[in-house]
Amino acid sequence: MSVERLTVAQALVRFLSRQYTERDGVRRRLITATWGIFGHGNVAGIGQALVEYADDMPYLQGRNEQAMVHAAVGFARQNGRLSAQAVTTSIGPGATNLVTGAALATINRLPVLLLPGDVFATRPADPVLQQLEVPHAGDVSVNDCLRPVSKYFDRITRPEQLIPAALAAARTLADPAETGAVTLALPQDVQTEAYDWPAEFFAERNWRLRRPLPDEAELAAAVHAIRSAERPLIVAGGGVKHSGAESALGVLAAATGIPVAATQAGKGALPHGHPSDVGGIGHTGTAVADHLARSADLVLGIGTRYTDFTTASGTLFARPGVRFVNLNITGFDAHKAAALPLVADARAGLERLRRELTGHGVPAGYEHEYRAERDRWDARVSAAYAPGREDARPTQPQVLGVLDTLVTEDDILINAAGSLPGDLHKLWRARSADQYHVEYGYSCMGYEIPAAVGVALAAPGRPVWALVGDGTYLMNPTEIVTAVQEDLPIKLVILQNHGYASIGSLSESVGAERYGTAYRFRAADRTYTGPPLPVDLAANAASLGMRVLRAHTIRDLREALSDARAATVPTCVYVETETADTVSGAPPAEAWWDVPVAETATRPSAVKAREQYDRHVTARRRHL
């Protein structure tokens, strides 16, 4: 048998460069590049291997380990999970900084390969620099923090262990039902050990992404339930996009007239203007979608996890006797809400449903009803977007309204946390399947800027917008430097409202009186008073290498956003927004969200909030 003598790190990099995915006849590299920050745990192993095989495995330099994972996740999502990236770190803080990004990837079912360095397997010096000592377990390191947030985890303590572990890692990354963060912890001494590897280990390998068909009995039960319904509703989740099933969904909706509401991950599965599109659903949903959810007698969930924002914490699907049919590639999700499961690939399942539902359509009155309601909602969106006086400071919805007038189907909008996800889910008119990129599975502050870097690498030439509030910006601005270094013309929009506005509003609603949510000087009594802090985020962005445009009015904003969209260098638009306290903002929430309130308190705000909470919680139901 032919063998090649390489170090463990060299063998891993070479193996990764030969892995491919294939779906519907399209073949792509599974791991297209490796992000890295080097330290004593990976510089002599993985670092040297990346030099050795620089032509086969491109290297990308990051500034923060968590941010590198976010960038890789953004890249994978933009590539429809068909291509991913790896991230290598040293041991210690470099490795533990991966945990948040790994959780985000796994929760959102997006592939990323994590290669943290680890302490010596041979333990010649114990402890080494940055080692966590666990008195009762000598085989534990900080990398074990990654176990619960990884879909596959292994620690390579001997060279020959790499062969089955690398194959399992690639299989998991390419599996549409099991993908997420994959971690191979690499002790720093083992990385540099040489071994005689079988040549077959480095052969090109295709990992075919399955499109499993639905079981015929499950399909028959689902079709019967749909045909029996008078007020069916489709809930489109992220699985529609992961499967590339947008066209199949549009065909089914157009043929049957069933309205389609979208989760945060599913928004854009139908473009705005499709006759069946009724917008976002749930706590941040539209009035029309939430009304339809309350009155639906059948809910067809496609590729959705039914998070609490989608279900309004179990209060939204309120009609007695409502039934669920769940088309999902994982049985775990397909059985939620006591549904009739339809375990299959979203596109394959939709195509079969379309054939079996030939000739079926919803009652004409129902179709007329939801389309009229949708038109009324669209008018409310236009009112929220309306610019008012050109010399006025814009509200947050007005910022979105100005951007709405400038973008085309080529533009990609990225957001994850704060009040923007709610406004975007309610208001944004998605023009293409991949325009709306809101990470709301983990809703991770600091995701937007590094994700924009990853998306820009995946979609060169397309305008990529990272929309952030001041709170999110302060969490993780460092990958601006990466965008400058890589010459990626991302467009950053900083909306400054001097505090954690979203959580401040939530704090007020649950009786916590916005405590600790404003960025202001702290008085002796620990209240926050006075003017905003003299912090200049625009100057900060400029100091990191961005071209910065300041917008004080709606007129300025329109000019700045237009300039940024055309820019060929990383460009930031900084705007202070008017708050909803003085100017009307987005329409309020149309459905509840369960955030428990203090059961006993002396402050009147908390007492009142608990009374309201007790009224809402009685509407919760379990679908059994």
Side-chain angles (χ1 to χ4, degrees):
M1 181 176 65
S2 175
V3 298
E4 295 187 51
R5 190 162 182 82
L6 304 171
T7 69
V8 168
Q10 292 165 356
L12 176 58
V13 170
R14 189 168 179 196
F15 169 85
L16 293 175
S17 71
R18 305 292 177 86
Q19 307 305 299
Y20 293 84
T21 63
E22 185 177 326
R23 187 176 73 178
D24 303 332
V26 177
R27 188 171 183 256
R28 301 193 191 191
R29 270 277 293 269
L30 174 59
I31 302 296
T32 65
T34 297
W35 289 92
I37 296 176
F38 292 117
H40 73 96
N42 65 341
V43 65
I46 291 291
Q48 189 282 326
L50 289 170
V51 173
E52 191 86 14
Y53 295 106
D55 292 340
D56 297 324
M57 179 61 69
Y59 170 72
L60 296 165
Q61 184 183 60
R63 270 75 197 172
N64 174 280
E65 291 87 358
Q66 180 189 136
M68 292 193 298
V69 184
H70 293 335
V73 167
F75 176 89
R77 175 168 167 171
Q78 185 61 33
N79 274 292
R81 306 194 302 182
L82 300 174
S83 288
Q85 294 175 328
V87 179
T88 180
T89 72
S90 183
I91 70 172
T96 52
N97 279 350
L98 296 174
V99 173
T100 296
L104 181 148
T106 296
I107 286 169
N108 286 282
R109 321 283 173 87
L110 294 168
V112 61
L113 176 61
L114 307 181
L115 305 173
D118 211 327
V119 299
F120 284 80
T122 53
R123 304 180 193 174
D126 193 38
V128 299
L129 177 65
Q130 299 180 324
Q131 178 177 344
L132 170 72
E133 292 184 272
V134 181
H136 65 273
D139 61 345
V140 171
S141 79
V142 296
N143 284 330
D144 288 275
C145 294
L146 289 159
R147 288 182 184 270
V149 293
S150 298
K151 294 296 288 187
Y152 178 82
F153 179 98
D154 203 351
R155 179 178 282 114
I156 311 303
T157 58
R158 290 181 58 84
E160 57 266 37
Q161 293 172 352
L162 180 65
I163 294 175
L167 291 167
R171 175 194 59 77
T172 305
L173 289 167
D175 190 322
E178 294 296 328
T179 194
V182 169
T183 300
L184 295 180
L186 302 170
Q188 55 182 311
D189 52 345
V190 177
Q191 290 180 43
T192 63
E193 289 184 31
Y195 183 75
D196 291 331
W197 306 92
E200 292 84 355
F201 184 53
F202 306 117
E204 289 191 357
R205 190 181 303 266
N206 282 1
W207 299 91
R208 289 184 175 83
L209 277 71
R210 303 184 305 277
R211 288 197 181 277
L213 294 170
D215 174 81
E216 291 299 324
E218 290 185 351
L219 179 64
V223 169
H224 176 74
I226 295 169
R227 284 186 175 274
S228 301
E230 294 292 321
R231 296 181 66 85
L233 173 68
I234 291 173
V235 176
V240 175
K241 294 184 178 183
H242 296 330
S243 173
E246 298 91 344
S247 178
L249 174 62
V251 170
L252 176 71
T256 62
I258 301 176
V260 177
T263 68
Q264 285 280 14
K267 188 175 172 76
L270 289 187
H272 176 75
H274 187 286
S276 294
D277 175 48
V278 295
I281 189 170
H283 178 65
T284 53
T286 68
V288 54
D290 287 352
H291 166 71
L292 293 172
R294 291 186 183 96
S295 61
D297 57 358
L298 182 126
V299 179
L300 173 56
I302 306 172
T304 178
R305 298 189 299 128
Y306 287 112
T307 68
D308 62 341
F309 259 65
T310 297
T311 67
S313 299
T315 64
L316 189 56
F317 302 107
R319 180 166 172 159
V322 60
R323 302 182 69 190
F324 291 78
V325 173
N326 291 340
L327 168 56
N328 204 294
I329 200 166
T330 70
F332 174 74
D333 291 314
H335 282 85
K336 287 178 177 176
L340 293 172
L342 194 58
V343 181
D345 168 74
R347 195 184 80 179
L350 282 166
E351 289 172 347
R352 287 300 311 275
L353 282 174
R354 170 67 189 92
R355 290 200 293 272
E356 297 298 323
L357 290 170
T358 298
H360 174 71
V362 301
Y366 180 52
E367 199 167 356
H368 175 77
E369 172 195 331
Y370 75 72
R371 290 182 179 177
E373 287 189 29
R374 184 195 58 204
D375 292 343
R376 285 191 289 272
W377 177 259
D378 208 41
R380 292 181 68 183
V381 173
S382 295
Y385 276 178
R389 298 195 344 262
E390 286 288 303
D391 60 349
R393 179 187 293 179
T395 64
Q396 185 166 281
Q398 287 171 340
V399 174
L400 299 180
V402 174
L403 190 58
D404 177 74
T405 66
L406 298 173
V407 302
T408 71
E409 64 275 3
D410 285 339
D411 294 68
I412 303 167
L413 273 65
I414 302 171
N415 184 241
S419 56
L420 272 166
D423 287 357
L424 286 163
H425 198 209
K426 281 201 263 300
L427 306 176
W428 189 254
R429 295 159 171 163
R431 292 159 171 78
S432 62
D434 64 352
Q435 179 174 88
Y436 189 87
H437 185 127
V438 173
E439 187 284 301
Y440 215 58
Y442 209 42
S443 188
C444 185
M445 295 177 73
Y447 172 80
E448 294 90 343
I449 295 172
V453 170
V455 170
L457 289 170
R462 294 181 62 180
V464 179
W465 299 85
L467 309 181
V468 302
D470 50 294
T472 288
Y473 178 84
L474 287 166
M475 285 276 183
N476 196 11
T478 54
E479 298 316 304
I480 286 174
V481 179
T482 303
V484 172
Q485 176 173 292
E486 299 294 330
D487 195 26
L488 300 171
I490 65 172
K491 295 89 173 60
L492 170 63
V493 181
I494 302 175
L495 294 91
Q496 171 66 274
N497 52 30
H498 302 287
Y500 299 115
S502 173
I503 211 68
S505 177
L506 177 62
S507 171
E508 185 173 39
S509 72
V510 298
E513 304 176 39
R514 293 185 179 263
Y515 186 73
T517 61
Y519 298 157
R520 297 177 184 273
F521 291 102
R522 194 170 77 176
D525 64 356
R526 301 182 66 82
T527 60
Y528 292 78
T529 60
L533 293 175
V535 176
D536 190 341
L537 300 186
N540 179 263
S543 76
L544 296 177
M546 274 201 134
R547 174 174 174 248
V548 176
L549 306 171
R550 295 176 184 260
H552 302 284
T553 67
I554 290 175
R555 181 183 298 108
D556 295 341
L557 179 67
R558 183 175 291 105
E559 294 173 358
L561 291 176
S562 179
D563 191 336
R565 188 175 186 276
T568 58
V569 297
T571 301
C572 169
V573 175
Y574 174 88
V575 56
E576 291 201 43
T577 57
E578 193 61 87
T579 66
D581 294 331
T582 55
V583 175
S584 176
E590 299 290 336
W592 186 58
W593 181 42
D594 188 353
V595 178
V597 177
E599 190 169 0
T600 180
T602 59
R603 298 182 72 86
S605 59
V607 173
K608 181 179 179 182
R610 181 66 194 198
E611 292 172 353
Q612 294 174 340
Y613 178 83
D614 287 339
R615 285 196 296 271
H616 280 295
V617 79
T618 59
R620 192 201 322 272
R621 60 181 294 193
R622 294 190 185 276
H623 300 283
L624 300 172

